[in-house]
Amino acid sequence: QGQLVESGGGLVQAGGSLSVSCAIRTFTPYAMGWFRQAPGKEREFVAAINWRGDYTYYGDSVKGRFTISRDNAKNTVSLQMNSLSPEDTAVYYCNRGIFADGIYYPDSWGQGTQVTVSS
């Protein structure tokens, strides 16, 4: 297994909530984030958080619905997803990266976890 291991994906009905988590095998003071990729679509930025956990950044399609958080004592980063719609169906990828000029750049990826939202 790699450095980043996702868990918590699954099937949920539209309007529901789901949380996905990422276990970080070796803590390093990196920013962490989530991307997603739906079938036939390009990979899309979802959210990122700095290593202290006091700065977050979201993609426009999830603002106000998703919340990213991290627990450095437990080496985990989580994504709470609310008000889900079928358009949120995708494989969700945890990643490690850096912020530069307010933009998040991932450099290491997990294997992904499937999130499916039924209508």
Side-chain angles (χ1 to χ4, degrees):
Q1 286 185 316
Q3 290 293 314
L4 306 175
V5 181
E6 299 96 337
S7 63
L11 175 65
V12 64
Q13 287 189 333
S17 298
L18 193 67
S19 180
V20 290
S21 295
C22 177
I24 312 160
R25 292 194 176 276
T26 303
F27 174 76
T28 51
Y30 277 87
M32 299 294 299
W34 291 90
F35 278 66
R36 67 186 182 185
Q37 189 166 20
K41 295 186 178 181
E42 293 186 354
R43 195 166 289 189
E44 175 190 18
F45 170 73
V46 176
I49 186 168
N50 68 346
W51 78 269
R52 287 186 298 271
D54 57 4
Y55 176 76
T56 57
Y57 182 62
Y58 295 93
D60 289 341
S61 63
V62 305
K63 282 181 182 177
R65 299 188 299 123
F66 290 13
T67 302
I68 188 171
S69 61
R70 67 188 299 165
D71 185 337
N72 289 339
K74 297 181 179 179
N75 288 358
T76 59
V77 60
S78 299
L79 184 69
Q80 176 65 40
M81 303 179 288
N82 298 327
S83 301
L84 286 162
S85 72
E87 288 70 35
D88 295 312
T89 294
V91 177
Y92 284 70
Y93 295 92
C94 173
N95 39 78
R96 185 195 74 177
I98 61 170
F99 277 104
D101 295 329
I103 298 173
Y104 175 68
Y105 296 93
D107 67 3
S108 183
W109 296 79
Q111 293 299 307
T113 185
Q114 176 70 47
V115 172
T116 303
V117 185
S118 63
S119 59

